[in-house]
Amino acid sequence: RRRVHLQQGADFYASLRTSAALEKAEVAVVVLDVTESISVQDLNIIDLVLESGRALVLAFNKWDRLNDTDMDNADRRRYLEREIEQDLAHVTWAPRVNLSARTGRHLDKLVPALETALKSWDQRIPTGKFNAFLAELVAEHPHPLRGGKQPRILFGTQASTRPPTFVLFTTGFLDPGYRRFIQRRLRELFGFEGTPIVTNMRVREKRQR
């Protein structure tokens, strides 16, 4: 992503406005126009939401236009699904609402999506339950060896909510891919639909004799 100070004109001011709005928000609804390709600016706004740690709902507007029998619209729908798979793969956990502001189609589904995201944003897992989850996960899928050594997770705790933030106490640095794996399993077991998850590490140093 281009740095904010390198962005020109409208992009720069849009970023400032988005950042200011996110500071006051608990959940962000990012509205995407399905008749247009997902743009760099759309992705920039989603990145700003993730950086701010806010809950997220994706609203795909003008969905009624894709139901037309026009062949161009059928093609657009096919390309849209491909774009979503490629460009939005990092936010598959965000609730999706396909709506039409013009006709009012599915606008009633927006509030339940917001409520789901906010509930997840506030969700807390008890320490005992979280450590039982970690023990089972590590037993099934231990961390791969790194330089002949295998980092171990000693225990973990949820430090905070808004967004859910977990601290893992380990004997070594955990690979980013393994941390993403832990996050995926957390979502599979506990939901967390609509909220980013933060996993931090505290590496326990060996005691000097």
Side-chain angles (χ1 to χ4, degrees):
R1 186 159 70 82
R2 292 174 296 170
R3 292 186 182 277
V4 168
H5 69 266
L6 294 178
Q7 291 179 347
Q8 299 297 313
D11 277 5
F12 174 76
Y13 290 108
S15 293
L16 289 182
R17 283 199 305 274
T18 302
S19 298
L22 283 168
E23 284 182 18
K24 302 172 185 174
E26 295 182 324
V27 58
V29 181
V30 176
V31 181
L32 301 158
D33 183 340
V34 298
T35 64
E36 304 284 342
S37 295
I38 296 172
S39 68
V40 171
Q41 185 64 9
D42 291 332
L43 297 176
N44 285 349
I45 289 171
I46 290 171
D47 282 345
L48 287 171
V49 176
L50 298 181
E51 288 166 15
S52 72
R54 298 317 192 255
L56 173 65
V57 172
L58 299 176
F60 291 86
N61 191 27
K62 301 185 182 179
W63 200 263
D64 55 308
R65 298 274 292 277
L66 296 185
N67 291 331
D68 294 345
T69 54
D70 191 306
M71 183 58 70
D72 288 344
N73 288 323
D75 288 342
R76 175 64 198 135
R77 189 165 191 164
R78 192 161 55 249
Y79 283 121
L80 174 65
E81 290 301 328
R82 192 179 304 168
E83 284 174 14
I84 290 170
E85 284 179 16
Q86 293 175 352
D87 296 338
L88 303 180
H90 60 308
V91 287
T92 52
W93 44 262
R96 280 177 54 180
V97 182
N98 302 330
L99 54 82
S100 168
R102 183 175 63 87
T103 66
R105 179 186 188 270
H106 286 174
L107 281 177
D108 58 322
K109 293 188 176 182
L110 197 54
V111 170
L114 292 170
E115 289 172 342
T116 295
L118 280 171
K119 186 177 179 182
S120 296
W121 200 51
D122 267 329
Q123 186 173 343
R124 184 178 287 277
I125 301 174
T127 299
K129 198 170 186 179
F130 181 54
N131 280 281
F133 157 81
L134 287 175
E136 189 173 329
L137 178 141
V138 170
E140 290 180 10
H141 300 280
H143 192 288
L145 290 170
R146 296 175 70 246
K149 296 180 180 179
Q150 188 175 49
R152 290 186 301 111
I153 300 174
L154 301 171
F155 65 97
T157 187
Q158 183 171 354
S160 60
T161 59
R162 301 187 159 205
T165 301
F166 297 89
V167 180
L168 303 173
F169 295 82
T170 69
T171 61
F173 187 80
L174 301 181
D175 289 339
Y178 196 75
R179 278 184 283 159
R180 286 193 295 271
F181 167 66
I182 292 172
Q183 290 181 357
R184 284 199 304 273
R185 292 300 293 268
L186 274 170
R187 292 187 187 284
E188 287 172 12
L189 266 71
F190 300 106
F192 290 113
E193 185 183 1
T195 182
I197 295 175
V198 179
T199 49
N200 296 324
M201 281 178 303
R202 298 254 180 95
V203 179
R204 180 165 288 182
E205 301 290 340
K206 286 185 178 179
R207 292 178 181 172
Q208 298 295 325
R209 290 186 177 180

